[in-house]
Amino acid sequence: MTSDIKIPAFEATPIDSIPQIAATVRQSYQSQKTKDVEWRLVQLRKLYWGLTDYSENFQAALKKDLNKPPHDAILSEIHHLIQELNLTLKKLKDWVKDDKDIEYPWTFSAMKPRIKKEPLGAVLIIGPYNFPLMLNIAPLIGAIAAGCTAVIKPSESAPATAMAMKEMVEKYLDPESFVVVNGRIPESTALLNEKWDKIFYTGGASVAKIIAKKAAETLTPVTLELGGRNPSFISKSTNLALAARRLMWGKTLNAGQVCLSQNYVTVQRDVVDDFVKHLNVVYKEFYPNGAKTSVDYARIVNEQQFDRIKKMLDTTNGKIVLGGETDRSDLYISPTVVLVDSVDDPMMKDESFGPVWSIIPYDTIDDAIKIMNTVDPTPLSLTTFGSKAENEKILSHVTSGGATINDAWMHGAISTLPFGGVGESGMGSYHGRAGFECFTHRRTIVEVPNWMDKLLRPRYPPFSAPDFKRHLWMTSTKPNFDRDGKPLSGPGYWLWLIFGLGGPSAKGALLRWIVLLTSAYAVFSRYRSGRGLEFWK
Ligand SMILES: NC(=O)c1ccc[n+]([C@@H]2O[C@H](COP(=O)([O-])OP(=O)(O)OC[C@H]3O[C@@H](n4cnc5c(N)ncnc54)[C@H](O)[C@@H]3O)[C@@H](O)[C@H]2O)c1
Ligand SMILES: CC1=C(/C=C/C(C)=C/C=C/C(C)=C/C=C/C=C(C)/C=C/C=C(C)/C=C/C=C(\C)C=O)C(C)(C)CCC1
């Protein structure tokens, strides 16, 4: 039973131990042991058992931190992670293989170009409070798969989950390679003072700027998973009952503390009243006795976040058309919808990151697009419930990290697909193969055989014009387009390409044929005489 699980009180990692922790994971990486793919697979399999065996601990911790219902703890955290783990375990041996389906001029083929996948090294993962397990362990899966070692710094705003995660990681994973450091800003800062090969940060933009600036000092690459004021679109074509139900789910799971959830919905003016009616109907379906008494409804993580959201409701010029109930002693804010008439309303100026959202009416789809691109031109998530043509127009005129058609943010619920922001909502992506790539360096490698040196003569001084001309011919191609940029594709083009050996001019073609035939003759006669292909001997 989760009720009898003991979760240790939050304890920050001693700051003076942080340099040694960073050194330990760095030395572990330098030991080369993580380069072994089977070693990585063993760690991932152990992580699977850790998540499985600690499932009740995590459900209890998430309940304590956020009053997160066990249903959501399993669906959006534990099970979500296990799905990603299973894919990684199944595909990792393919992902680590050198890339050989790569493009390069045929003249370099003797160098056998390939792209080798190498770990970036020792990485730092800093996570947020709203999905405190999933948003720390999901990047860890990618880091392990890539062969990195890692320190995880969970949010102190979800202390119970942070402690449970530390216990699980210490018990199941290699302690020299994967360490959870708990703490607040001082501990985070101490970690940022160490040198990392990558920093993976999930959280707010203001802290992201601190981290990105710090990383820039040492040219450390970062992935930033941030938030945004996410739009949704509804028109006269929308199935309003369905949209109300789906958007209500999108904003009540985890009490709306979801980076992907809609911050506001642009609704065609004619259907605003009907949509509001449907929202009220679906609220009663979800919570027949009200959300406050429901075991299926989470709470705001702390008073600071509660006050931030409450201030939006207290300062809006809009009309509350659903909800509006709050209880600070219980960190409770009911699912709340506010009808606003301006993009300057306080409800529209900040990311709500809670169960409150707005409806803003529009007349034409162009008005809706203008609103979206005014409020936040690079949101993390976009959801659209219009007609096919309307959705295509919205998607082509409004960018976002990811998008869902005809539902709330389900694109973010598929743990094996790339997930990330765009512009101010983040940089980089992860989950599934993208998680492996996020912590991988793609290293191009070529091997130049001795016998190529003759052909490489054009690069050596004293430069020889004939050699250089021959080289340019060998590496030049005939354009398949005219001077107006229009593609050439008539039969004459293809005939010349073949018989002209791809060069632009007839004179060049003759030279090319001479070089080709004499080279072929030279190779053939040496081979026939048994003297081999080592021309330099
Ligand atoms: N894109 C995503 O996947 C995603 C997921 C969850 C949350 N978010 C965004 O994160 C924000 C809410 O999360 P949050 O409040 O936990 O974020 P936050 O920025 O307050 O904290 C995130 C992490 O940063 C650390 N931190 C805080 N201040 C720091 C500092 N000065 N120096 C170093 N580290 C510091 C915290 O300890 C925590 O571990 C929202 O904007 C939300 O949209 C994005
Ligand atoms: C349709 C077919 C079938 C049935 C399919 C069914 C029943 C699918 C049901 C899917 C459900 C209920 C999915 C819900 C998923 C919700 C999740 C994973 C939420 C995740 C939340 C996350 C990750 C939050 C992230 C937050 C972030 C990043 C920021 O804050 C079959 C299978 C029966 C037959 C085929 C057809």
Side-chain angles (χ1 to χ4, degrees), residues 125-131 134-136 153-157 183-190 192 200-208 210-211 224-228 230 257-260 301 304-305 308 351 353 380 419-421 425-426 430-431:
I125 296 168
I126 300 178
Y129 66 77
N130 62 325
F131 291 84
M134 191 273 287
L135 292 173
N136 281 297
K153 210 302 289 178
S155 174
E156 66 282 15
S157 300
R184 300 172 177 83
I185 293 177
E187 289 76 15
S188 272
T189 304
L192 290 168
F200 186 103
Y201 170 75
T202 302
S206 54
V207 175
I210 294 170
I211 289 173
L224 301 175
E225 295 285 346
L226 310 181
N230 306 320
Q257 297 162 111
V258 184
C259 58
L260 293 153
V301 71
Q304 175 200 347
Q305 297 298 332
R308 176 186 61 76
E351 176 188 8
F353 207 56
L380 180 66
F419 174 85
S425 57
Y430 72 123
H431 284 310

Side-chain angles (χ1 to χ4, degrees), residues 337-475:
V337 181
V338 183
L339 178 59
V340 302
D341 60 8
S342 164
V343 294
D344 296 321
D345 192 281
M347 282 295 294
M348 302 289 286
K349 298 308 273 183
D350 291 312
E351 176 188 8
S352 79
F353 207 56
V356 305
W357 44 297
S358 316
I359 291 172
I360 183 162
Y362 70 88
D363 296 307
T364 70
I365 188 169
D366 292 327
D367 295 340
I369 289 168
K370 188 174 178 202
I371 288 168
M372 293 180 192
N373 286 323
T374 302
V375 171
D376 181 347
T378 57
L380 180 66
S381 165
L382 178 145
T383 50
T384 181
F385 294 80
S387 66
K388 185 172 169 42
E390 289 169 331
N391 291 338
E392 282 168 6
K393 183 164 186 175
I394 293 288
L395 287 169
S396 65
H397 287 71
V398 183
T399 188
S400 64
T404 295
I405 297 169
N406 204 38
D407 200 347
W409 45 265
M410 280 303 279
H411 63 278
I414 305 172
S415 63
T416 55
L417 295 181
F419 174 85
V422 63
E424 292 191 16
S425 57
M427 58 181 74
S429 63
Y430 72 123
H431 284 310
R433 178 164 194 158
F436 166 77
E437 303 287 0
C438 173
F439 294 98
T440 293
H441 167 51
R442 293 166 59 82
R443 191 180 190 186
T444 296
I445 297 176
V446 299
E447 184 177 352
V448 186
N450 295 352
W451 61 261
M452 264 199 85
D453 219 49
K454 271 266 187 229
L455 294 173
L456 295 172
R457 174 69 190 80
R459 75 181 187 183
Y460 297 123
F463 298 129
S464 144
D467 279 345
F468 190 54
K469 193 159 185 169
R470 186 193 73 228
H471 171 72
L472 290 181
W473 161 67
M474 285 173 69
T475 53

Side-chain angles (χ1 to χ4, degrees), residues 6-10 58-68 159-161 301:
K6 295 282 170 283
I7 293 172
F10 186 73
F58 288 129
Q59 290 175 52
L62 290 162
K63 181 79 179 168
K64 194 170 177 195
D65 287 335
L66 290 146
N67 193 44
K68 192 170 282 195
T161 310
V301 71

